[in-house]
Every structure is written in structure tokens, then in C-alpha cells.
Coordinates of all heavy atoms in Angstrom, one line a residue:
M28 N 0.8 -1.2 0.0 CA 0.0 0.0 0.0 C 0.9 1.2 0.0 O 1.9 1.3 0.6 CB -0.9 0.0 1.2 CG -1.8 1.2 1.3 SD -2.8 1.0 2.8 CE -4.0 2.2 2.4
S29 N 0.5 2.3 -0.7 CA 1.2 3.5 -0.8 C 0.4 4.7 -0.5 O -0.9 4.6 -0.5 CB 1.9 3.6 -2.1 OG 0.9 3.8 -3.1
S30 N 1.0 5.8 -0.1 CA 0.3 7.0 0.1 C 0.9 8.0 -0.8 O 2.0 7.9 -1.3 CB 0.3 7.4 1.5 OG 1.7 7.7 1.9
T31 N 0.2 9.1 -1.1 CA 0.7 10.1 -2.0 C 0.6 11.5 -1.4 O -0.3 11.7 -0.5 CB 0.0 10.1 -3.3 OG1 0.5 11.1 -4.2 CG2 -1.5 10.3 -3.1
T32 N 1.3 12.5 -1.8 CA 1.2 13.9 -1.5 C 0.0 14.4 -2.3 O -0.4 13.9 -3.3 CB 2.4 14.7 -1.8 OG1 2.7 14.6 -3.1 CG2 3.6 14.2 -0.9
Q33 N -0.6 15.4 -1.8 CA -1.8 16.0 -2.5 C -1.3 16.8 -3.7 O -0.2 17.3 -3.7 CB -2.5 17.0 -1.6 CG -3.3 16.3 -0.5 CD -4.5 15.5 -1.0 OE1 -4.8 15.6 -2.1 NE2 -5.1 14.8 -0.1
G34 N -2.0 16.8 -4.7 CA -1.7 17.5 -5.9 C -2.5 17.0 -7.1 O -2.4 15.9 -7.5
N35 N -3.3 17.9 -7.7 CA -4.1 17.5 -8.8 C -3.7 18.3 -10.1 O -4.5 18.4 -11.0 CB -5.6 17.7 -8.5 CG -6.1 16.8 -7.4 OD1 -5.6 15.7 -7.3 ND2 -7.0 17.2 -6.6
D36 N -2.6 19.0 -10.0 CA -2.1 19.8 -11.2 C -1.7 18.8 -12.3 O -1.2 17.7 -12.1 CB -0.9 20.7 -10.8 CG -1.3 21.6 -9.7 OD1 -2.5 22.0 -9.6 OD2 -0.4 22.0 -8.9
A37 N -1.7 19.4 -13.5 CA -1.2 18.6 -14.7 C 0.3 18.7 -14.8 O 0.8 18.1 -15.7 CB -1.9 19.0 -16.0
E38 N 0.9 19.5 -14.0 CA 2.3 19.7 -14.0 C 2.9 19.4 -12.7 O 2.2 19.5 -11.7 CB 2.7 21.1 -14.5 CG 2.3 21.4 -15.9 CD 2.7 22.8 -16.3 OE1 3.3 23.6 -15.4 OE2 2.5 23.2 -17.4
G39 N 4.2 19.1 -12.6 CA 4.8 18.9 -11.3 C 5.1 17.4 -11.1 O 5.0 16.6 -12.0
V40 N 5.4 17.1 -9.8 CA 5.8 15.8 -9.4 C 5.0 15.4 -8.2 O 4.7 16.2 -7.3 CB 7.3 15.7 -9.1 CG1 7.7 14.3 -8.5 CG2 8.2 16.0 -10.3
E41 N 4.5 14.2 -8.3 CA 3.8 13.6 -7.1 C 4.6 12.5 -6.5 O 5.2 11.7 -7.3 CB 2.4 13.0 -7.7 CG 1.4 12.7 -6.7 CD 0.1 12.5 -7.3 OE1 0.0 11.5 -8.1 OE2 -0.9 13.3 -7.1
F42 N 4.6 12.4 -5.2 CA 5.4 11.4 -4.5 C 4.5 10.4 -3.9 O 3.5 10.7 -3.3 CB 6.3 12.0 -3.4 CG 7.3 12.9 -3.9 CD1 7.1 14.3 -4.0 CD2 8.6 12.4 -4.3 CE1 8.1 15.1 -4.5 CE2 9.6 13.2 -4.8 CZ 9.3 14.6 -4.9
Y43 N 4.9 9.1 -4.0 CA 4.2 8.0 -3.4 C 5.1 7.3 -2.4 O 6.3 7.0 -2.8 CB 3.8 7.0 -4.5 CG 2.8 7.5 -5.5 CD1 3.3 8.2 -6.6 CD2 1.4 7.4 -5.3 CE1 2.4 8.7 -7.6 CE2 0.5 7.9 -6.2 CZ 1.0 8.6 -7.4 OH 0.1 9.1 -8.3
Y44 N 4.7 7.2 -1.2 CA 5.5 6.6 -0.2 C 5.0 5.1 0.0 O 3.9 4.9 0.5 CB 5.3 7.4 1.1 CG 5.8 8.8 0.9 CD1 5.0 9.8 0.4 CD2 7.2 9.1 1.1 CE1 5.5 11.1 0.2 CE2 7.7 10.4 0.9 CZ 6.8 11.4 0.4 OH 7.3 12.6 0.2
E45 N 5.9 4.2 -0.4 CA 5.5 2.8 -0.4 C 5.7 2.2 1.0 O 6.4 2.7 1.9 CB 6.4 2.1 -1.4 CG 6.5 2.7 -2.8 CD 5.1 2.6 -3.5 OE1 4.3 1.8 -3.1 OE2 5.0 3.4 -4.5
S46 N 5.0 1.1 1.3 CA 5.0 0.5 2.6 C 6.4 -0.1 2.9 O 6.7 -0.3 4.1 CB 4.0 -0.6 2.7 OG 4.2 -1.6 1.7
D47 N 7.2 -0.3 1.9 CA 8.6 -0.8 2.2 C 9.6 0.3 2.5 O 10.8 0.1 2.7 CB 9.1 -1.7 1.1 CG 9.3 -0.9 -0.2 OD1 9.0 0.3 -0.3 OD2 9.7 -1.6 -1.2
G48 N 9.1 1.6 2.5 CA 10.0 2.7 2.8 C 10.5 3.4 1.6 O 11.2 4.5 1.8
T49 N 10.3 2.9 0.4 CA 10.8 3.5 -0.7 C 9.9 4.7 -1.2 O 8.7 4.7 -0.7 CB 11.0 2.6 -1.9 OG1 9.8 2.0 -2.2 CG2 12.1 1.5 -1.6
V50 N 10.4 5.5 -2.1 CA 9.6 6.6 -2.5 C 9.6 6.6 -4.1 O 10.6 6.3 -4.7 CB 10.3 8.0 -2.1 CG1 9.4 9.2 -2.6 CG2 10.4 8.0 -0.6
T51 N 8.4 6.8 -4.6 CA 8.2 6.9 -6.1 C 7.9 8.3 -6.4 O 7.0 8.9 -5.8 CB 7.1 5.9 -6.6 OG1 7.5 4.6 -6.2 CG2 6.9 6.0 -8.1
A52 N 8.6 8.8 -7.4 CA 8.3 10.2 -8.0 C 7.6 10.0 -9.3 O 8.2 9.3 -10.2 CB 9.6 11.0 -8.1
K53 N 6.5 10.7 -9.5 CA 5.8 10.5 -10.8 C 5.6 11.9 -11.4 O 5.1 12.9 -10.7 CB 4.4 9.9 -10.6 CG 3.6 9.8 -11.8 CD 2.2 9.2 -11.6 CE 1.4 9.2 -12.8 NZ 0.0 8.7 -12.6
D54 N 6.1 12.1 -12.7 CA 5.9 13.3 -13.4 C 4.5 13.4 -13.9 O 4.0 12.5 -14.6 CB 6.9 13.4 -14.6 CG 6.7 14.6 -15.4 OD1 6.9 15.7 -14.8 OD2 6.4 14.5 -16.6
L55 N 3.7 14.4 -13.5 CA 2.3 14.4 -13.8 C 2.0 14.8 -15.3 O 1.0 14.4 -15.8 CB 1.6 15.5 -12.9 CG 1.6 15.1 -11.4 CD1 1.0 16.2 -10.6 CD2 1.0 13.8 -11.2
E56 N 3.0 15.4 -15.9 CA 2.8 15.8 -17.3 C 2.9 14.6 -18.2 O 2.1 14.4 -19.2 CB 3.8 16.9 -17.8 CG 3.6 17.3 -19.2 CD 4.5 18.5 -19.5 OE1 5.0 19.1 -18.6 OE2 4.8 18.6 -20.7
T57 N 3.9 13.8 -18.0 CA 4.2 12.6 -18.9 C 3.7 11.3 -18.4 O 3.5 10.3 -19.1 CB 5.7 12.4 -19.1 OG1 6.3 12.2 -17.8 CG2 6.4 13.7 -19.7
G58 N 3.4 11.2 -17.1 CA 3.0 10.0 -16.4 C 4.2 9.0 -16.1 O 4.0 8.0 -15.6
L59 N 5.4 9.5 -16.4 CA 6.6 8.6 -16.1 C 6.8 8.6 -14.6 O 6.6 9.6 -13.9 CB 7.8 9.2 -16.9 CG 7.7 9.2 -18.4 CD1 8.9 10.0 -19.0 CD2 7.7 7.8 -18.9
A60 N 7.4 7.5 -14.1 CA 7.6 7.4 -12.7 C 8.9 6.6 -12.5 O 9.2 5.7 -13.2 CB 6.5 6.7 -12.0
R61 N 9.6 6.9 -11.4 CA 10.8 6.2 -11.0 C 10.8 6.2 -9.5 O 10.3 7.1 -8.8 CB 12.1 6.8 -11.5 CG 12.3 6.5 -13.0 CD 12.4 5.1 -13.3 NE 13.6 4.5 -12.7 CZ 14.3 3.5 -13.1 NH1 13.9 2.9 -14.2 NH2 15.3 3.1 -12.5
G62 N 11.5 5.2 -8.9 CA 11.6 5.1 -7.4 C 13.0 5.1 -6.9 O 14.0 5.0 -7.7
G63 N 13.1 5.2 -5.6 CA 14.4 5.2 -4.9 C 14.2 5.1 -3.4 O 13.0 5.1 -2.9
D64 N 15.3 5.0 -2.7 CA 15.2 4.9 -1.3 C 14.8 6.3 -0.6 O 14.3 6.3 0.5 CB 16.5 4.5 -0.7 CG 16.8 3.0 -1.1 OD1 15.8 2.2 -1.2 OD2 18.0 2.6 -1.2
T65 N 15.1 7.4 -1.3 CA 14.8 8.7 -0.8 C 14.1 9.5 -1.9 O 14.1 9.2 -3.1 CB 16.0 9.5 -0.4 OG1 16.8 9.7 -1.6 CG2 16.8 8.7 0.6
R66 N 13.5 10.7 -1.5 CA 12.9 11.6 -2.5 C 13.9 12.0 -3.5 O 13.7 12.1 -4.7 CB 12.3 12.8 -1.8 CG 11.0 12.5 -1.1 CD 10.4 13.7 -0.4 NE 10.7 14.9 -1.0 CZ 9.8 15.9 -1.1 NH1 8.5 15.7 -0.7 NH2 10.1 17.1 -1.7
A67 N 15.1 12.4 -3.0 CA 16.2 12.9 -3.9 C 16.6 11.8 -4.9 O 16.8 12.1 -6.1 CB 17.4 13.3 -3.1
E68 N 16.7 10.6 -4.5 CA 17.1 9.5 -5.4 C 16.0 9.2 -6.4 O 16.2 9.0 -7.6 CB 17.3 8.2 -4.6 CG 17.8 7.0 -5.5 CD 18.1 5.8 -4.6 OE1 18.6 5.9 -3.5 OE2 17.9 4.7 -5.2
A69 N 14.7 9.3 -6.0 CA 13.6 9.1 -6.9 C 13.6 10.2 -7.9 O 13.3 10.0 -9.1 CB 12.3 9.0 -6.1
L70 N 13.8 11.4 -7.5 CA 13.8 12.6 -8.4 C 15.0 12.5 -9.4 O 14.8 12.8 -10.6 CB 13.9 13.9 -7.7 CG 12.6 14.4 -7.0 CD1 12.9 15.6 -6.1 CD2 11.6 14.7 -8.1
T71 N 16.1 12.0 -9.0 CA 17.3 11.8 -9.9 C 17.0 10.8 -10.9 O 17.2 11.0 -12.1 CB 18.5 11.4 -9.1 OG1 18.8 12.5 -8.1 CG2 19.7 11.2 -10.0
Q72 N 16.4 9.7 -10.5 CA 16.0 8.6 -11.5 C 14.9 9.2 -12.4 O 15.0 8.9 -13.6 CB 15.5 7.4 -10.7 CG 16.5 6.7 -9.8 CD 17.6 6.0 -10.7 OE1 17.3 5.6 -11.8 NE2 18.8 6.0 -10.1
L73 N 14.0 9.9 -11.9 CA 12.9 10.5 -12.8 C 13.5 11.4 -13.8 O 13.1 11.4 -15.0 CB 11.8 11.1 -11.9 CG 10.7 11.7 -12.7 CD1 9.9 10.7 -13.5 CD2 9.7 12.5 -11.7
A74 N 14.4 12.3 -13.4 CA 15.0 13.2 -14.3 C 15.7 12.5 -15.5 O 15.6 12.9 -16.6 CB 16.0 14.1 -13.6
E75 N 16.4 11.4 -15.2 CA 17.0 10.6 -16.2 C 16.0 10.0 -17.2 O 16.2 10.0 -18.4 CB 17.9 9.5 -15.6 CG 19.1 9.9 -15.0 CD 20.0 8.7 -14.4 OE1 19.8 7.6 -14.9 OE2 20.8 9.0 -13.5
V76 N 14.9 9.5 -16.7 CA 13.9 8.9 -17.5 C 13.2 10.0 -18.4 O 13.0 9.7 -19.6 CB 12.8 8.2 -16.7 CG1 11.6 7.8 -17.5 CG2 13.4 7.0 -16.0
I77 N 13.0 11.2 -17.9 CA 12.4 12.2 -18.7 C 13.4 12.7 -19.8 O 12.9 12.9 -20.9 CB 12.0 13.4 -17.8 CG1 10.8 13.0 -16.9 CG2 11.7 14.6 -18.6 CD1 10.5 14.0 -15.8
Q78 N 14.7 12.7 -19.5 CA 15.6 13.1 -20.5 C 15.6 12.1 -21.6 O 15.6 12.5 -22.8 CB 17.0 13.2 -19.9 CG 17.3 14.4 -19.1 CD 18.6 14.4 -18.5 OE1 19.2 13.4 -18.1 NE2 19.2 15.6 -18.3
L79 N 15.6 10.8 -21.3 CA 15.5 9.8 -22.3 C 14.2 9.8 -23.1 O 14.2 9.7 -24.3 CB 15.7 8.4 -21.7 CG 17.1 8.1 -21.1 CD1 17.1 6.8 -20.4 CD2 18.2 8.1 -22.2
H80 N 13.2 10.1 -22.4 CA 11.8 10.2 -23.1 C 11.8 11.3 -24.1 O 11.2 11.2 -25.1 CB 10.8 10.4 -22.0 CG 9.4 10.6 -22.5 ND1 8.7 9.6 -23.0 CD2 8.6 11.7 -22.6 CE1 7.5 10.0 -23.4 NE2 7.4 11.3 -23.1
E81 N 12.6 12.4 -23.8 CA 12.6 13.6 -24.7 C 13.7 13.5 -25.7 O 14.0 14.4 -26.4 CB 12.7 14.8 -23.8 CG 11.5 15.1 -23.0 CD 11.7 16.3 -22.0 OE1 12.8 16.9 -21.9 OE2 10.6 16.7 -21.4
G82 N 14.3 12.3 -25.8 CA 15.3 12.1 -26.9 C 16.7 12.5 -26.6 O 17.6 12.5 -27.4
E83 N 16.9 12.8 -25.3 CA 18.3 13.2 -24.9 C 19.1 11.9 -24.6 O 18.5 10.8 -24.5 CB 18.3 14.1 -23.7 CG 17.6 15.5 -24.1 CD 17.6 16.4 -22.9 OE1 18.5 16.3 -22.0 OE2 16.7 17.2 -22.9
G84 N 20.3 12.0 -24.4 CA 21.1 10.9 -24.0 C 22.0 10.5 -25.2 O 22.0 11.1 -26.2
E85 N 22.9 9.5 -24.9 CA 23.9 9.1 -25.9 C 23.4 7.8 -26.5 O 22.9 6.9 -25.9 CB 25.2 8.9 -25.3 CG 25.8 10.2 -24.7 CD 27.1 9.9 -24.0 OE1 27.8 8.9 -24.3 OE2 27.5 10.7 -23.1
P86 N 23.7 7.6 -27.9 CA 23.3 6.4 -28.5 C 24.1 5.2 -27.9 O 25.3 5.4 -27.5 CB 23.6 6.6 -30.0 CG 24.4 7.9 -30.1 CD 24.2 8.6 -28.8
I87 N 23.5 4.1 -28.0 CA 24.2 2.9 -27.5 C 24.8 2.2 -28.7 O 24.1 1.7 -29.6 CB 23.3 1.9 -26.8 CG1 22.7 2.6 -25.5 CG2 23.9 0.6 -26.4 CD1 21.6 1.9 -24.8
D88 N 26.2 2.1 -28.8 CA 26.8 1.5 -29.9 C 26.7 0.0 -30.0 O 26.6 -0.6 -31.1 CB 28.3 1.9 -29.9 CG 28.5 3.4 -30.1 OD1 27.7 4.0 -30.8 OD2 29.5 4.0 -29.5
D89 N 26.7 -0.6 -28.8 CA 26.6 -2.1 -28.8 C 25.5 -2.5 -27.9 O 25.7 -2.7 -26.7 CB 28.0 -2.7 -28.2 CG 28.0 -4.2 -28.1 OD1 27.0 -4.8 -28.6 OD2 28.9 -4.7 -27.5
P90 N 24.3 -2.5 -28.4 CA 23.1 -2.9 -27.6 C 23.2 -4.2 -26.8 O 22.8 -4.2 -25.6 CB 21.9 -2.9 -28.6 CG 22.4 -2.1 -29.7 CD 23.9 -2.3 -29.8
D91 N 23.8 -5.2 -27.4 CA 23.9 -6.5 -26.7 C 24.9 -6.4 -25.5 O 24.6 -6.9 -24.5 CB 24.4 -7.6 -27.7 CG 23.3 -8.0 -28.6 OD1 22.1 -7.7 -28.4 OD2 23.6 -8.8 -29.6
G92 N 26.0 -5.7 -25.8 CA 26.9 -5.4 -24.7 C 26.3 -4.6 -23.6 O 26.6 -4.9 -22.4
F93 N 25.6 -3.6 -23.9 CA 24.9 -2.8 -22.9 C 23.9 -3.7 -22.0 O 23.9 -3.6 -20.8 CB 24.1 -1.7 -23.5 CG 23.4 -0.8 -22.6 CD1 24.0 0.2 -21.9 CD2 22.0 -1.0 -22.3 CE1 23.3 1.0 -21.0 CE2 21.3 -0.2 -21.4 CZ 22.0 0.8 -20.8
L94 N 23.2 -4.5 -22.7 CA 22.2 -5.4 -22.0 C 23.0 -6.3 -21.0 O 22.6 -6.4 -19.9 CB 21.4 -6.2 -22.9 CG 20.3 -5.4 -23.7 CD1 19.7 -6.3 -24.8 CD2 19.3 -4.9 -22.8
R95 N 24.1 -6.9 -21.5 CA 24.8 -7.8 -20.7 C 25.5 -7.1 -19.5 O 25.4 -7.5 -18.4 CB 25.9 -8.5 -21.5 CG 25.5 -9.8 -22.0 CD 26.7 -10.6 -22.6 NE 27.5 -9.8 -23.6 CZ 27.1 -9.7 -24.9 NH1 26.0 -10.3 -25.3 NH2 27.8 -9.0 -25.7
D96 N 26.3 -6.0 -19.9 CA 27.1 -5.3 -18.9 C 26.4 -4.4 -17.9 O 26.8 -4.3 -16.7 CB 28.2 -4.5 -19.6 CG 29.1 -5.4 -20.5 OD1 29.1 -6.7 -20.3 OD2 29.7 -4.9 -21.4
E97 N 25.4 -3.7 -18.4 CA 24.7 -2.7 -17.6 C 23.5 -3.2 -16.9 O 23.1 -2.8 -15.8 CB 24.4 -1.4 -18.4 CG 25.6 -0.8 -19.0 CD 26.6 -0.2 -18.0 OE1 26.1 0.3 -16.9 OE2 27.8 -0.2 -18.2
L98 N 22.7 -4.1 -17.6 CA 21.4 -4.5 -17.1 C 21.4 -6.0 -16.7 O 20.4 -6.5 -16.2 CB 20.4 -4.2 -18.1 CG 20.2 -2.8 -18.6 CD1 19.1 -2.7 -19.7 CD2 19.9 -1.9 -17.4
D99 N 22.5 -6.7 -16.9 CA 22.6 -8.1 -16.6 C 21.5 -8.9 -17.2 O 20.8 -9.8 -16.6 CB 22.6 -8.3 -15.0 CG 23.1 -9.7 -14.6 OD1 23.9 -10.2 -15.4 OD2 22.7 -10.2 -13.6
I100 N 21.2 -8.6 -18.5 CA 20.2 -9.3 -19.3 C 21.0 -10.1 -20.4 O 21.8 -9.5 -21.1 CB 19.2 -8.4 -19.9 CG1 18.4 -7.7 -18.8 CG2 18.3 -9.1 -20.9 CD1 17.5 -6.6 -19.3
D101 N 20.7 -11.3 -20.6 CA 21.3 -12.1 -21.7 C 20.5 -11.7 -23.0 O 19.3 -12.0 -23.1 CB 21.2 -13.6 -21.4 CG 21.8 -14.4 -22.5 OD1 22.2 -13.9 -23.6 OD2 22.0 -15.6 -22.3
P102 N 21.1 -11.1 -24.0 CA 20.4 -10.7 -25.2 C 19.7 -11.9 -25.9 O 18.7 -11.7 -26.5 CB 21.5 -10.2 -26.1 CG 22.6 -9.8 -25.2 CD 22.5 -10.7 -24.0
D103 N 20.3 -13.1 -25.7 CA 19.6 -14.3 -26.4 C 18.2 -14.6 -25.8 O 17.4 -15.1 -26.4 CB 20.5 -15.5 -26.2 CG 21.8 -15.4 -27.0 OD1 21.8 -14.7 -28.0 OD2 22.8 -16.0 -26.6
D104 N 18.0 -14.1 -24.5 CA 16.7 -14.3 -23.9 C 15.7 -13.4 -24.6 O 14.5 -13.7 -24.5 CB 16.8 -14.0 -22.4 CG 17.6 -15.0 -21.6 OD1 17.8 -16.1 -22.2 OD2 17.9 -14.7 -20.5
L105 N 16.1 -12.4 -25.2 CA 15.2 -11.4 -25.8 C 14.7 -11.9 -27.2 O 13.7 -11.4 -27.8 CB 15.8 -10.0 -26.0 CG 16.1 -9.4 -24.7 CD1 16.8 -8.0 -24.9 CD2 14.9 -9.1 -23.8
K106 N 15.3 -12.9 -27.7 CA 15.0 -13.4 -29.1 C 13.6 -13.9 -29.1 O 13.0 -14.0 -30.2 CB 16.0 -14.4 -29.5 CG 17.4 -13.8 -29.6 CD 18.2 -14.3 -30.8 CE 19.6 -13.9 -30.8 NZ 19.8 -12.5 -31.0
T107 N 13.0 -14.3 -28.0 CA 11.6 -14.8 -27.9 C 10.6 -13.7 -27.8 O 9.4 -13.9 -27.9 CB 11.4 -15.7 -26.7 OG1 11.7 -15.0 -25.5 CG2 12.3 -17.0 -26.8
V108 N 11.1 -12.4 -27.7 CA 10.2 -11.3 -27.6 C 10.1 -10.6 -28.9 O 11.1 -10.4 -29.6 CB 10.8 -10.2 -26.5 CG1 9.9 -9.0 -26.5 CG2 11.0 -10.9 -25.2
E109 N 8.9 -10.3 -29.3 CA 8.7 -9.7 -30.6 C 9.2 -8.3 -30.6 O 9.0 -7.6 -29.6 CB 7.2 -9.7 -31.0 CG 6.6 -11.0 -31.2 CD 7.2 -11.8 -32.4 OE1 7.5 -11.1 -33.4 OE2 7.5 -13.0 -32.3
P110 N 9.9 -7.8 -31.6 CA 10.5 -6.4 -31.6 C 9.4 -5.4 -31.3 O 9.8 -4.4 -30.7 CB 11.0 -6.3 -33.0 CG 11.3 -7.7 -33.5 CD 10.3 -8.5 -32.8
D111 N 8.2 -5.6 -31.7 CA 7.1 -4.6 -31.3 C 6.9 -4.5 -29.8 O 6.3 -3.5 -29.3 CB 5.8 -4.9 -32.0 CG 5.9 -4.6 -33.5 OD1 6.8 -3.9 -34.0 OD2 5.0 -5.2 -34.3
D112 N 7.3 -5.5 -29.1 CA 7.1 -5.5 -27.6 C 8.3 -5.0 -26.9 O 8.2 -4.9 -25.7 CB 6.8 -7.0 -27.2 CG 5.4 -7.5 -27.7 OD1 4.5 -6.6 -27.9 OD2 5.3 -8.7 -27.9
Y113 N 9.4 -4.7 -27.6 CA 10.5 -4.1 -26.9 C 10.2 -2.7 -26.3 O 9.3 -2.0 -26.9 CB 11.7 -3.9 -27.9 CG 12.4 -5.1 -28.4 CD1 13.4 -5.0 -29.3 CD2 12.1 -6.4 -27.9 CE1 14.1 -6.1 -29.7 CE2 12.8 -7.5 -28.4 CZ 13.8 -7.3 -29.3 OH 14.4 -8.4 -29.7
P114 N 10.8 -2.4 -25.2 CA 10.7 -1.0 -24.7 C 11.1 0.0 -25.8 O 11.9 -0.3 -26.7 CB 11.6 -0.9 -23.6 CG 12.0 -2.3 -23.2 CD 11.8 -3.1 -24.4
E115 N 10.5 1.2 -25.8 CA 10.7 2.2 -26.9 C 12.2 2.4 -27.1 O 12.7 2.6 -28.2 CB 10.0 3.4 -26.6 CG 10.0 4.4 -27.7 CD 9.1 5.6 -27.5 OE1 8.0 5.4 -26.9 OE2 9.5 6.7 -27.9
F116 N 13.0 2.5 -26.0 CA 14.4 2.8 -26.2 C 15.2 1.8 -26.9 O 16.3 2.0 -27.4 CB 15.1 3.2 -24.8 CG 15.4 2.0 -24.0 CD1 16.7 1.4 -24.1 CD2 14.5 1.4 -23.1 CE1 17.0 0.3 -23.3 CE2 14.8 0.3 -22.3 CZ 16.1 -0.3 -22.4
M117 N 14.6 0.6 -27.1 CA 15.4 -0.5 -27.7 C 14.9 -0.7 -29.2 O 15.4 -1.5 -29.9 CB 15.2 -1.8 -27.0 CG 15.8 -1.9 -25.7 SD 15.6 -3.4 -24.8 CE 16.4 -4.6 -25.9
R118 N 13.9 0.1 -29.6 CA 13.4 0.0 -31.0 C 14.3 0.7 -32.0 O 14.9 1.7 -31.7 CB 12.0 0.5 -31.1 CG 11.0 -0.4 -30.3 CD 9.6 0.1 -30.4 NE 8.9 -0.5 -29.4 CZ 7.7 -0.1 -29.1 NH1 7.1 0.9 -29.6 NH2 7.0 -0.7 -28.1

């Protein structure tokens, strides 16, 4: 169960306080959300996601290497996933 701060604006950030002690920050304009152990960590994660959503960031030269090294995902496991089902950043 989580609780949230008040706020019905279409802009800004809403915080959700989870029962496990973590905090989720949700951007009200985009609907994107990220979590962390603190509000500051959640906001930092959210800022990164918004930047990627808006097309910022650096291209990944070796997607398979990135999956293995950064996300600990075996690229061969993704071969069973249809490309249309990939997250947008992998398309």
C-alpha cells in the first residue's frame, strides 16, 4: 500500500510513499515514474527517464553489450520477444 502527497495539477511531481519505505516520484505531465530509497534518489531517477523520453542521451553503440554489462540481461533471452514488444528505447 502506498500514500501520496496532495496535488491535482497537470504539471509537477507527485510522490508515493511505499510500505517498504521507498519513494516513487511521478511526473504528472508525462506519467513517467521512478523510485528510490529517498525523494532525492527518486527525483534523480525520474530526471534521467524524462531526458531519455525527450530524446536526450547518448546512442548505444553495442546494444547487446549494454544489456549484458549494464542490465545483466542475456540478449539471447530477448529473441523470444517480438520487436514490437521491446521498450521504446530498444526499438
Side-chain angles (χ1 to χ4, degrees):
M28 180 178 195
S29 66
S30 64
T31 179
T32 56
Q33 290 291 354
N35 295 325
D36 300 328
E38 295 181 0
V40 175
E41 195 168 65
F42 293 95
Y43 297 86
Y44 298 89
E45 308 295 342
S46 60
D47 65 358
T49 60
V50 181
T51 300
K53 178 181 178 184
D54 177 61
L55 298 177
E56 183 178 337
T57 63
L59 297 170
R61 286 298 295 205
D64 291 331
T65 65
R66 284 174 37 132
E68 186 178 325
L70 283 171
T71 299
Q72 295 291 328
L73 180 60
E75 287 183 22
V76 168
I77 291 172
Q78 286 177 327
L79 293 173
H80 177 73
E81 294 177 350
E83 296 178 29
E85 297 178 22
I87 298 171
D88 294 327
D89 178 11
D91 287 347
F93 178 82
L94 289 172
R95 264 191 308 277
D96 301 339
E97 300 295 326
L98 302 178
D99 198 29
I100 295 173
D101 183 350
D103 293 332
D104 291 345
L105 297 177
K106 299 216 185 297
T107 60
V108 177
E109 295 296 320
D111 290 343
D112 293 331
Y113 287 178
E115 188 171 321
F116 77 92
M117 292 180 64
R118 292 183 195 165

